[in-house]
Amino acid sequence: TGVHAKLLAAAGAHVAAVDLTPTAVELTRRRLELAHLEADVREADAESLPFADASFDFVWSWGVIHHANDTPKCLSEIARVAKPGADIKIMLYNVNSVFAWGIALQRRIPNRRRAIWDGVESVGTKCYTEAEARKMVADCGLEIRSITYIETTITPGSKFYAVRRFLQKVLPASTQWYMQIDASKV
């Protein structure tokens, strides 16, 4: 819906954004228009980006490519369109998170990946270990600077709120749902 495109444009970036559906593209364009911001917003698949090689100094993907049919292909496209030395920030879901365990338990599916695949946001959603993420990113010619784990937002009053907050405070950061990869183009 253009939330990140708006934030980046408002911060002064010259933004090129893609989304898979015409509805999402229109919502993004409208959000930018209402904020009096400009961006190049296109309908496109992240597995085949409509940009020339080495086009961007910065590439941002938050919560997108783990929904794609071919996440490694998306990473290859990110590497292709990034300039040498470009900063790249990607978020992927963490299979070892408390959230993934909770979904598996709630749905009585012993396999966390299957529980996530079957319906967290969309059928086919993937989640990864840190080692898997590191390999996928490295295989595309990107160099990882760091991987951090980010706490998910838990709404007060939501199911198991107190338990989830407690677990977030006592368990290691690597059990958080969001895995943020900071990388650069080699």
Side-chain angles (χ1 to χ4, degrees):
T1 60
V3 172
H4 293 184
K6 178 185 170 195
L7 290 171
L8 292 166
H14 298 281
V15 175
V18 298
D19 210 307
L20 195 55
T21 68
T23 301
V25 168
E26 183 54 38
L27 288 170
T28 299
R29 287 178 178 155
R30 182 70 178 137
R31 182 182 299 273
L32 291 162
E33 178 185 312
L34 290 170
H36 306 288
L37 296 167
E38 293 185 15
D40 173 7
V41 183
R42 303 181 192 189
E43 183 180 340
D45 188 330
E47 294 176 17
S48 181
L49 294 170
F51 304 108
D53 295 358
S55 294
F56 299 101
D57 297 314
F58 178 72
V59 180
W60 173 265
S61 173
W62 184 271
V64 175
I65 64 175
H66 49 238
H67 296 288
N69 289 329
D70 190 343
T71 301
K73 176 67 175 146
C74 294
L75 286 165
S76 291
E77 281 293 281
I78 287 170
R80 182 185 67 77
V81 301
K83 292 179 181 177
D87 290 323
I88 299 165
K89 297 198 185 293
I90 301 163
M91 186 276 278
L92 298 173
Y93 289 149
N94 176 17
V95 71
N96 292 318
S97 67
V98 170
F99 182 82
W101 280 103
I103 293 295
L105 290 171
Q106 180 184 29
R107 296 190 177 150
R108 294 182 177 92
I109 300 173
N111 183 311
R112 293 176 313 247
R113 291 179 199 274
R114 188 75 216 177
I116 300 303
W117 178 277
D118 284 345
V120 170
E121 297 173 348
S122 63
V123 174
T125 300
K126 295 177 266 326
C127 49
Y128 300 94
T129 65
E130 182 175 321
E132 291 166 338
R134 283 184 181 281
K135 182 175 180 346
M136 277 193 306
V137 170
D139 286 351
C140 296
L142 301 175
E143 183 176 290
I144 295 177
R145 290 190 299 248
S146 68
I147 294 181
T148 54
Y149 294 89
I150 300 172
E151 184 175 302
T152 56
T153 303
I154 304 172
T155 307
S158 62
K159 195 171 188 176
F160 305 115
Y161 173 78
V163 172
R164 291 173 67 196
R165 288 296 299 152
F166 172 76
L167 291 173
Q168 281 186 335
K169 290 183 184 309
V170 300
L171 293 175
S174 61
T175 62
Q176 300 305 323
W177 182 224
Y178 303 136
M179 182 174 19
Q180 180 178 308
I181 301 162
D182 293 320
S184 62
K185 171 86 173 265
V186 179

